[in-house]
Amino acid sequence: MMNTKTIKKYVTELSKARVEITNDPYHPVTFNRADNFADYQLYLLGLEIELLPLAVKIVLNRTHTNHWRKLAYNYCLHVESLFTGKNINGIHRHLLITKGNELVSLQDLSNDHRKYLDRFLTLQRESFERTKASLLGTTSFRPSDFMLEGTEIDLNELINFLWHSGAVKGITPGVTKKAFAGYFSAMMNRKCANNFEDRIHQSLGRYNPLKYVDKLREQYLDYAEQREQRKK
């Protein structure tokens, strides 16, 4: 059984942004007690590696998978809320800056100190994005033996049809159509386009937005009719 202490340890680290302004010209800023970028990056990577068994469990284990998916989703949602701003180096909600025993405001930082701070925050955010992808990513580790025939527009039409018809629903809160598109495409040994939504608009803009679905319907009806003919 996976121990929740591992993921809690990681989340606790990302929940902190404690900055100390020093008088050391070589290490003018410490961040969560780390005084250089390389050491802090290695520390975060070590925590990420400890989480890999959980990622494998979520993807490969069919027993109690829902429990771990929801747990990982809730933790990721919490960490996501800590970073304000749209950029990867957005300000941390729990940012605490001190110099000696005095509090320092973000606005009072010099440009050099701000650059150091932004770089440490970027390491945190990049680590979170990698972890979120491994814990909540939808691409299976298992290779698929199947391929969907048809054009890229046909693939996009089918994905959109399955999603918006309600035939496919996510079992994890907050799962997106793009995540389903990535999973379905990988399962069918097809590549999901980065501009997936733009491709979807192309398929919806056709005279018949269900051209591929209608084609499959006709082929299936032909199969059903031939099957009935064989019974006679």
Side-chain angles (χ1 to χ4, degrees):
M1 178 66 68
M2 176 66 63
N3 196 319
T4 57
K5 288 183 179 179
T6 302
I7 194 170
K8 286 181 178 179
K9 179 181 177 183
Y10 178 73
V11 171
T12 298
E13 177 59 36
L14 292 191
S15 297
K16 298 183 297 183
R18 298 173 183 171
V19 179
E20 173 69 21
I21 306 300
T22 75
N23 294 319
D24 185 345
Y26 298 102
H27 305 293
V29 168
T30 67
F31 187 92
N32 290 353
R33 297 187 178 179
D35 62 9
N36 66 82
F37 306 124
D39 285 350
Y40 191 59
Q41 184 175 41
L42 287 174
Y43 176 67
L44 291 177
L45 288 172
L47 294 180
E48 293 174 43
I49 290 172
E50 291 181 23
L51 287 173
L52 286 178
L54 176 57
V56 173
K57 181 183 183 69
I58 289 175
V59 175
L60 298 182
N61 190 6
R62 299 296 179 253
T63 305
H64 305 305
T65 291
N66 253 1
H67 166 75
W68 290 108
R69 283 184 186 275
K70 290 177 181 178
L71 179 69
Y73 173 80
N74 287 333
Y75 277 124
C76 287
L77 192 65
H78 166 70
V79 175
E80 186 79 61
S81 69
L82 297 175
F83 296 96
T84 60
K86 296 182 179 180
N87 294 330
I88 197 167
N89 59 343
I91 298 304
H92 199 290
R93 196 176 299 278
H94 294 168
L95 180 63
L96 178 66
I97 308 172
T98 60
K99 184 174 183 180
N101 296 322
E102 297 182 0
L103 292 175
V104 179
S105 69
L106 183 64
Q107 291 73 22
D108 290 336
L109 290 182
S110 68
N111 289 335
D112 288 341
H113 284 138
R114 180 58 191 266
K115 288 179 181 178
Y116 271 86
L117 170 59
D118 286 348
R119 189 165 176 184
F120 276 115
L121 288 172
T122 297
L123 290 178
Q124 274 195 331
R125 188 57 186 260
E126 288 176 342
S127 175
F128 169 64
E129 293 297 335
R130 287 192 300 269
T131 301
K132 182 172 67 171
S134 65
L135 292 178
L136 302 183
T138 55
T139 301
S140 172
F141 292 132
R142 297 180 58 189
S144 171
D145 294 324
F146 308 99
M147 175 176 285
L148 180 74
E149 294 185 346
T151 65
E152 182 181 311
I153 290 183
D154 294 336
L155 172 66
N156 294 333
E157 177 191 321
L158 185 58
I159 291 171
N160 216 36
F161 173 75
L162 291 173
W163 183 262
H164 289 290
S165 67
V168 172
K169 293 184 181 297
I171 60 175
T172 303
V175 68
T176 63
K177 179 174 68 175
K178 181 61 182 292
F180 167 63
Y183 175 81
F184 187 81
S185 299
M187 184 177 67
M188 293 290 104
N189 280 304
R190 301 290 293 269
K191 184 177 180 180
C192 181
N194 291 329
N195 56 339
F196 171 72
E197 288 297 341
D198 292 338
R199 301 290 189 176
I200 285 295
H201 287 308
Q202 289 181 14
S203 65
L204 291 175
R206 295 178 301 179
Y207 175 75
N208 178 10
L210 289 179
K211 180 180 178 180
Y212 186 61
V213 173
D214 286 343
K215 176 183 176 182
L216 296 179
R217 177 179 178 274
E218 292 300 322
Q219 290 175 339
Y220 185 74
L221 290 177
D222 287 344
Y223 158 75
E225 183 178 350
Q226 292 171 9
R227 188 170 183 273
E228 288 300 316
Q229 290 294 332
R230 288 195 295 269
K231 290 182 179 179
K232 296 178 180 181

